[in-house]
Amino acid sequence: MGWGNIYKRRVKVFTLALVIYFDYKALQQREKWVSKSKKNSLWEKAHERNAKRLLNLIIELEGLWVKMGQYLSTRADVLPEAYIYFLRQLQDSLPPRPLQEIYRNIQKELGKTMDDLFSSFDDIPIATASIAQVHRATLRNGQDVVVKVQHEGIKAVILEDLKNAKSIVDWIAWAEPQYDFNPMIDEWCKEAPKELDFNHEAENTRTVSKNLGCKNNHRNTNSENYVDVLIPEVIQSSEKVLILEYMDGIRLNDSELLEAFGVDKKKVVEEITRAYAHQIYVDGFFNGDPHPGNFLVSKEPPHRPILLDFGLTKLISSSMKQALAKMFLASAEGDHVALLSAFAEMGLKLRLDLPEQAMMVTNVFFRASTPSSEALENMKALNEERTKNMKIIQEKMKLSKKEVSRFNPVDAFPGDAVIFVRVLNLLRGLSSTLNVRVVYLDIMRPFAESVLQGKISRGPATNAQWISTPVHSDLEAKLRQLLIKLGDDDKILGIQVCAYKDGKVIIDTSAGVLGRYDPRPVKPDSLFPVFSATKGITAGMLHWLIDNGKLKLEENVANIWSEFGANGKTSIKVHHVLNHTSGLHNALSGIPREDPLLMCDWEECLNRIAMSIPESEPGHEQLYHYLSFGWLCGGIIEHASGKKFQEILNEAIINPLNIEGEIYIGIPPGVESRLATLTIDVEDLKLLAGMGSRPDLPSTFQLGEIGDLPQMVAAIPILFNTLNIRRAIVPAANGHCSARALARYYAALVAGGIIPPPHTASEPPLGSHPHIPTFSSLHHKKKGSKSKEVATPKDKAKKDGHNHSHPTESESSTYGKKDAGKNYAKLATDITSSTSTSNNDTEYYTNKKDGKIFKNPKIHDSFMGLGEYENLVFPNGAFGLGFKRYNSKDGPLTTFGHSGLGGSTGFCDVEHNFAIAVTLNKMSLGGVTGKVMQLVCSELNIPLPEEFARFGGQGSDMQQNFDKPLIN
């Protein structure tokens, strides 16, 4: 193709693009001056004339534009009817190429004459497409075949068309930034040239046929992932000629013939969808061009789909395959955490943190298809949804209408995902073309589940990577053997165990996978939901304020927090709260049943706690404050310090112990890829069926029916896996941490506050992640409050004349560098850096220089309610001042800690200078934790607390949870 033809081709393409663009722009202005009844007519006429213009140019130019037209013709679900009507003609044959050209190309490519190759060759082609022309023929051995012959000079045409398409997309992205199709065209530019080598297509055809078992007569037809399709056998190939087995079939756009043969069109589309689900999720190798022209339906019953043309076939990595499956299942289950984690794994980056909108967009990908008759309504609904989302973005980022019209929320779109989305859109168009409705979630789900569960089902006995962290001691080696046995018995999904003895790390093991649908291995820095193990952290923060003179144990809470004095609570003291004797054990206990999302509203929860009514006199009865403990402590912490809860978390624990990024109470955006997902041990759940109502449960947990308990427990992972709950500050039940960070915290506590040597046992190094909490609680000076008014980050920004924004974890590597922020911000609500401190922080940090976080030499007695603190706790109660007291058969009380629902535990023994943490994502009755504790304590000759030895290893965590309140 000479430069003259290239120039003419380019001029025609850009001229038409401008004509269509300005036609619609002019119509947008014109419609403002016409009546509502005439608007539809104006738009229909515009669609018709522009569709004709587009069709005529595509037929004239051929090449890549034919493929683009074929793709557009399948989008009856979103494109105006006029475009579908005219562009559908491209699914039929284009004008045929001269027969002499066909003969010449065949003989040149295969090195034989036509007579040597074929006994007969039909001069009239079956089809003429954008790249090649197809003829029916019979080989010399009598076999019926089809011969696909590439057009002369088509390679230069395709490459030129790709350049022109790229230029047009660049121009559209500049003129209308919200319509930036660059990721799609970039991927197409990379993949489309592969279609020009028919040897490549031949190999792809063989591979897909083998993967789908098309030639395997012994397939298990009862298998959930069985696919019943046909693919022609490859007979011979060269770069420009491909000979395939002939299969007699009906074209999908031949509705009359489909009707005459009694073909079930919905069944055909569903089977094609199954075939693609298998290719994508099971094989990781799929055809990226499923337009109607690439399918036939066999004429013989059961009228199986025939898959053709594997020129544009995509190979994706195992990790991308898993990420796509995870994205699909996250969409199906509405799991925001899994969705954002899947995005991170596949390399899809968003410019802002709006998980709800991300879920909506993903749901659009996998929504059920609509018949073409519903295309107009469907297009309206999608436009309304898009307008709604852009309005939310505009409000979040405070953009003008002009700015929001040019805003693209996607920062990076991975090429592999581009072809995946294209396939989904083409399949949807296929459904619309045949006027059938297909529920993709139902069809594709078994395939997505199989790829993830297939990885997970490999237990530790067969998976060498089930435990990948190094061994630090003989004890750790023995522990691993126990974990492997428990893993093979399906009692462990993912687990971390870390222990300190005499200030040194002796165990630091991570094993298993992050979730039921997340086969990535657990790492030392993975974050596990630990439920009420969070209480031990919250209690430590309160003790830290007491140690620094900001608070007293005997102080009335109402003196610190004036609103708290309402409804007869003026006599409740700080030590009553820590000791679970305030009488507010039922405060806000109805939230999990009535409105779980109320837990996300920090200020509202504090207000409700302040207005709550006690059920018993302070100090008279110890009843576990399962949820109320957190907001009670949180309110005291904020009002006594004049700071936000998470600022004190940073100052008291995170920064001194150098455990940045591995303990959160309310996760920030950006850590989703490190989160473990909760599931439940079904066998243990069955054991709960025998538990009925108990008088020692809080009144809100008096169960009306025996079956209520297991149902409520089964719902807990669903609730606490949601992103809204994970991001909430619930200091009683919503900590996310690694075992090594939790163990380091208890190692400091067991040593009286002395900071242990740096934790160097595992990689990545502890403290290597930026700790960026969200500060959702705002402070104002209140009457009767000790606290001074503290400027919020936004206030400081206004005062300084700057807009302070902080990166999510994924941005940390570039944050602070030139142009790192560019012109956008990831919205993480109000965020303050872990390094930001107020003027009086020097006083708070006096002990850090000495390597201690507590000055009180009797801090252990304070934690456990012993010695001079004994009069502040309920006699012989299970709790000291914020910590669970563990009893052993022999010896004095020297152990304390806190466990969480499902098994996660933080624990230490003062006498033996021992601290341990266990984190789990498969919630059970505590057997796993109990067995771990039994082994470790036995090997170290440390007395085993009675609670961990009971019920065949049922740990104190589960006893506390199920013998008493549910949400520990």
Side-chain angles (χ1 to χ4, degrees):
M1 185 168 60
W3 280 107
N5 288 332
I6 289 175
Y7 178 75
K8 290 178 183 177
R9 192 177 185 88
R10 190 173 297 171
V11 168
K12 289 178 180 179
V13 168
F14 281 95
T15 298
L16 180 64
L18 287 169
V19 167
I20 293 176
Y21 176 75
F22 286 118
D23 190 357
Y24 283 121
K25 278 293 183 182
L27 182 56
Q28 286 176 348
Q29 298 300 318
R30 185 181 173 191
E31 70 172 350
K32 296 177 182 178
W33 309 101
V34 299
S35 63
K36 201 170 186 179
S37 59
K38 291 184 179 180
K39 282 184 181 180
N40 287 341
S41 176
L42 284 174
W43 280 100
E44 286 174 7
K45 289 179 181 177
H47 293 326
E48 185 174 331
R49 64 175 173 266
N50 287 318
K52 284 181 181 177
R53 289 167 175 164
L54 184 58
L55 174 65
N56 291 334
L57 184 65
I58 288 174
I59 291 174
E60 178 185 350
L61 298 181
E62 295 186 355
L64 185 75
W65 302 110
V66 174
K67 279 194 169 295
M68 184 173 290
Q70 290 172 335
Y71 170 68
L72 294 175
S73 73
T74 66
R75 300 309 311 277
D77 55 328
V78 292
L79 277 182
E81 186 177 349
Y83 282 89
I84 304 303
Y85 174 78
F86 285 102
L87 296 180
R88 192 171 284 166
Q89 298 174 41
L90 297 170
Q91 294 176 17
D92 298 321
S93 288
L94 298 170
R97 294 298 176 98
L99 198 58
Q100 291 304 315
E101 177 187 319
I102 301 300
Y103 288 169
R104 183 169 62 249
N105 287 342
I106 291 174
Q107 292 175 152
K108 180 181 178 181
E109 283 293 305
L110 301 183
K112 294 182 180 180
T113 67
M114 295 295 290
D115 290 338
D116 290 337
L117 292 166
F118 309 105
S119 60
S120 67
F121 189 92
D122 287 359
D123 293 344
I124 299 174
I126 296 174
T128 302
S130 57
I131 291 178
Q133 187 161 299
V134 183
H135 290 259
R136 186 174 177 183
T138 304
L139 297 177
R140 299 299 297 179
N141 63 7
Q143 182 178 6
D144 287 336
V145 296
V146 291
V147 184
K148 184 175 179 180
V149 187
Q150 193 173 121
H151 303 321
E152 282 187 353
I154 193 64
K155 185 173 184 177
V157 171
I158 292 291
L159 295 178
E160 171 62 19
D161 290 344
L162 284 171
K163 289 180 184 177
N164 293 338
K166 171 65 175 169
S167 298
I168 291 174
V169 166
D170 286 340
W171 173 68
I172 292 173
W174 173 82
E176 306 286 342
Q178 69 271 33
Y179 298 111
D180 185 357
F181 302 109
N182 268 298
M184 180 171 288
I185 197 65
D186 289 343
E187 185 66 14
W188 207 358
C189 287
K190 185 173 75 173
E191 297 294 333
K194 296 177 183 177
E195 292 189 83
L196 299 170
D197 185 348
F198 288 171
N199 284 318
H200 182 75
E201 180 177 342
E203 188 57 35
N204 292 342
T205 304
R206 294 187 186 101
T207 301
V208 175
S209 179
K210 181 181 177 181
N211 289 343
L212 298 182
C214 294
K215 298 299 180 182
N216 183 1
N217 296 323
H218 304 288
R219 288 183 293 173
N220 180 12
T221 57
N222 295 321
S223 169
E224 199 172 30
N225 292 342
Y226 170 74
V227 177
D228 192 16
V229 296
L230 300 171
I231 295 177
E233 181 183 357
V234 176
I235 307 300
Q236 188 176 358
S237 69
S238 71
E239 183 182 354
K240 297 179 180 178
V241 174
L242 178 62
I243 301 176
L244 299 165
E245 169 191 7
Y246 172 75
M247 288 186 170
D248 192 15
I250 308 165
R251 295 175 65 86
L252 291 187
N253 61 359
D254 193 340
S255 55
E256 292 183 3
L257 204 54
L258 291 172
E259 191 75 26
F261 275 84
V263 174
D264 184 338
K265 293 187 287 185
K266 182 177 181 181
K267 184 179 178 183
V268 167
V269 176
E270 287 180 343
E271 201 59 44
I272 290 173
T273 303
R274 284 172 55 79
Y276 271 83
H278 194 293
Q279 291 175 62
I280 293 167
Y281 295 122
V282 179
D283 309 323
F285 187 76
F286 58 94
N287 181 5
D289 199 20
H291 66 77
N294 284 345
F295 300 100
L296 299 173
V297 180
S298 63
K299 292 180 178 179
E300 301 81 16
H303 304 300
R304 291 181 286 178
I306 302 171
L307 278 55
L308 307 172
D309 194 349
F310 294 89
L312 181 58
T313 307
K314 184 70 179 176
L315 174 66
I316 57 176
S317 66
S318 177
S319 58
M320 175 58 77
K321 183 173 66 173
Q322 292 169 23
L324 291 175
K326 188 174 176 180
M327 178 177 72
F328 175 88
L329 293 168
S331 176
E333 298 187 0
D335 187 338
H336 294 85
V337 171
L339 180 66
L340 295 182
S341 174
F343 284 174
E345 290 165 40
M346 68 175 64
L348 193 157
K349 297 178 182 178
L350 302 177
R351 283 192 165 99
L352 68 171
D353 177 56
L354 288 174
E356 290 82 7
Q357 281 62 49
M359 179 63 74
M360 289 179 191
V361 172
T362 309
N363 287 339
V364 167
F365 290 161
F366 302 114
R367 72 191 187 281
S369 66
T370 53
S372 57
S373 57
E374 300 175 18
L376 183 60
E377 290 302 316
N378 186 50
M379 188 167 59
K380 286 181 179 177
L382 291 176
N383 284 335
E384 288 173 2
E385 191 66 48
R386 184 181 182 282
T387 301
K388 177 182 175 183
N389 287 336
M390 294 308 292
K391 187 175 181 181
I392 293 172
I393 290 172
Q394 182 178 2
E395 292 172 355
K396 282 274 188 181
M397 299 194 69
K398 296 179 173 55
L399 300 174
S400 66
K401 286 186 178 181
K402 183 177 181 180
E403 287 172 329
V404 78
S405 69
R406 301 184 65 83
F407 181 78
N408 188 337
V410 178
D411 184 27
F413 204 100
D416 291 346
V418 168
I419 300 295
F420 172 73
V421 171
R422 182 173 187 267
V423 166
L424 291 178
N425 287 335
L426 282 167
L427 290 174
R428 190 175 309 286
L430 197 65
S431 303
S432 298
T433 298
L434 294 180
N435 210 33
V436 297
R437 190 186 306 277
V438 173
V439 182
Y440 293 103
L441 290 178
D442 292 345
I443 295 175
M444 303 180 87
R445 182 169 193 140
F447 296 93
E449 287 181 339
S450 69
V451 64
L452 295 181
Q453 289 182 332
K455 288 275 184 182
I456 294 168
S457 64
R458 294 185 302 146
T462 57
N463 181 5
Q465 296 302 310
W466 196 77
I467 301 180
S468 57
T469 50
V471 179
H472 300 94
S473 64
D474 293 339
L475 169 57
E476 187 163 24
K478 291 180 180 180
L479 173 66
R480 289 178 181 224
Q481 293 305 310
L482 171 64
L483 297 183
I484 287 172
K485 182 180 184 303
L486 292 170
D488 284 334
D489 291 341
D490 199 28
K491 303 305 292 182
I492 294 175
L493 183 63
I495 188 171
Q496 296 170 322
V497 181
C498 185
Y500 280 73
K501 183 73 172 70
D502 300 324
K504 297 179 181 179
V505 177
I506 57 171
I507 298 172
D508 193 2
T509 288
S510 304
V513 295
L514 287 177
R516 181 184 171 200
Y517 294 130
D518 193 342
R520 291 175 301 144
V522 173
K523 299 292 185 183
D525 62 341
S526 298
L527 299 172
F528 281 71
V530 295
F531 289 100
S532 269
T534 315
K535 287 184 177 70
I537 300 169
T538 303
M541 294 164 60
L542 215 154
H543 278 283
W544 184 80
L545 288 174
I546 294 168
D547 196 62
N548 281 278
K550 302 294 178 181
L551 186 64
K552 293 180 180 179
L553 286 167
E554 297 86 355
E555 201 161 2
N556 289 329
V557 176
N559 290 344
I560 307 159
W561 180 2
S562 60
E563 294 85 353
F564 184 81
N567 297 321
K569 298 195 296 297
T570 54
S571 60
I572 295 176
K573 299 182 184 298
V574 173
H575 66 80
H576 291 136
V577 171
L578 285 170
N579 191 231
H580 298 266
T581 57
S582 75
L584 295 172
H585 47 283
N586 271 325
L588 275 64
S589 58
I591 287 179
R593 283 181 169 179
E594 296 167 15
D595 184 9
L597 292 183
L598 182 60
M599 286 190 288
C600 303
D601 191 333
W602 173 257
E603 292 297 337
E604 177 62 20
C605 288
L606 290 188
N607 290 336
R608 291 196 179 201
I609 283 288
M611 295 297 108
S612 61
I613 302 173
E615 296 184 18
S616 60
E617 288 293 319
H620 283 214
E621 191 176 11
Q622 189 175 78
L623 282 171
Y624 185 58
H625 292 32
Y626 66 103
L627 274 178
S628 58
F629 181 89
W631 291 304
L632 283 164
C633 289
I636 294 170
I637 288 167
E638 291 204 337
H639 285 82
S641 68
K643 296 189 174 187
K644 294 171 185 168
F645 178 85
Q646 296 203 43
E647 285 183 292
I648 300 302
L649 175 62
N650 277 349
E651 294 176 16
I653 297 171
I654 303 296
N655 292 339
L657 295 178
N658 193 29
I659 50 177
E660 285 82 358
E662 294 192 31
I663 282 186
Y664 292 104
I665 300 178
I667 64 163
V671 303
E672 289 83 8
S673 63
R674 290 195 286 128
L675 290 179
T677 304
L678 292 165
T679 187
I680 199 159
D681 190 314
V682 177
E683 294 302 315
D684 277 13
L685 188 64
K686 293 176 183 177
L687 299 177
L688 297 178
M691 295 186 181
S693 296
R694 291 178 53 111
D696 55 350
L697 282 169
S699 60
T700 45
F701 283 95
Q702 294 301 328
L703 306 174
E705 299 178 9
I706 291 178
D708 286 347
L709 184 59
Q711 289 175 16
M712 290 176 63
V713 174
I716 288 173
I718 298 171
L719 177 63
F720 279 84
N721 279 334
T722 64
L723 190 60
N724 287 336
I725 298 297
R726 286 183 187 249
R727 288 186 174 180
I729 303 175
V730 187
N734 201 34
H736 287 75
C737 64
S738 64
R740 64 182 185 175
L742 188 59
R744 184 169 175 80
Y745 169 63
Y746 274 99
L749 297 189
V750 80
I754 297 174
I755 298 171
H759 184 108
T760 58
S762 53
E763 294 291 337
L766 181 60
S768 61
H769 293 285
H771 182 72
I772 311 164
T774 55
F775 295 151
S776 61
S777 54
L778 301 177
H779 279 281
H780 305 282
K781 191 173 183 180
K782 298 179 181 179
K783 186 178 180 180
S785 174
K786 284 186 173 182
S787 63
K788 297 178 181 179
E789 188 170 355
V790 178
T792 66
K794 286 184 178 179
D795 295 332
K796 292 178 181 179
K798 290 175 183 176
K799 184 177 179 181
D800 297 340
H802 299 289
N803 179 19
H804 295 287
S805 63
H806 297 272
T808 58
E809 185 174 65
S810 59
E811 294 177 280
S812 61
S813 60
T814 58
Y815 180 65
K817 297 180 182 179
K818 185 179 180 181
D819 298 326
K822 296 187 179 179
N823 294 319
Y824 61 85
K826 287 189 166 63
L827 301 182
T829 68
D830 295 331
I831 304 177
T832 298
S833 168
S834 61
T835 58
S836 66
T837 57
S838 62
N839 292 332
N840 62 350
D841 283 337
T842 304
E843 177 189 344
Y844 277 30
Y845 276 111
T846 51
N847 292 321
K848 187 177 179 183
K849 292 184 294 184
D850 301 327
K852 294 187 69 175
I853 56 176
F854 293 106
K855 295 175 290 188
N856 183 2
K858 298 180 180 179
I859 193 68
H860 290 140
D861 287 350
S862 177
F863 292 156
M864 292 184 281
L866 301 176
E868 66 184 62
Y869 301 93
E870 191 169 1
N871 64 320
L872 303 181
V873 300
F874 192 76
N876 301 315
F879 288 94
L881 293 174
F883 293 91
K884 177 74 169 60
R885 304 195 295 192
Y886 293 96
N887 295 308
S888 58
K889 292 181 180 179
D890 304 308
L893 181 64
T894 64
T895 58
F896 64 91
H898 217 297
S899 298
L901 181 67
S904 294
T905 297
F907 167 85
C908 62
D909 185 320
V910 177
E911 182 179 354
H912 296 87
N913 198 2
F914 169 70
I916 188 170
V918 179
T919 56
L920 298 158
N921 60 352
K922 188 168 191 176
M923 300 166 57
S924 69
L925 292 180
V928 170
T929 306
K931 286 182 171 60
V932 168
M933 292 297 297
Q934 288 175 30
L935 172 66
V936 175
C937 289
S938 172
E939 290 292 321
L940 294 176
N941 198 26
I942 293 173
L944 177 70
E946 292 179 3
E947 290 86 342
F948 288 113
R950 292 178 182 175
F951 309 108
Q954 177 177 317
S956 61
D957 47 351
M958 286 299 101
Q959 185 190 356
Q960 182 65 37
N961 288 312
F962 295 124
D963 288 358
K964 292 188 180 171
L966 282 179
I967 300 183
N968 193 10

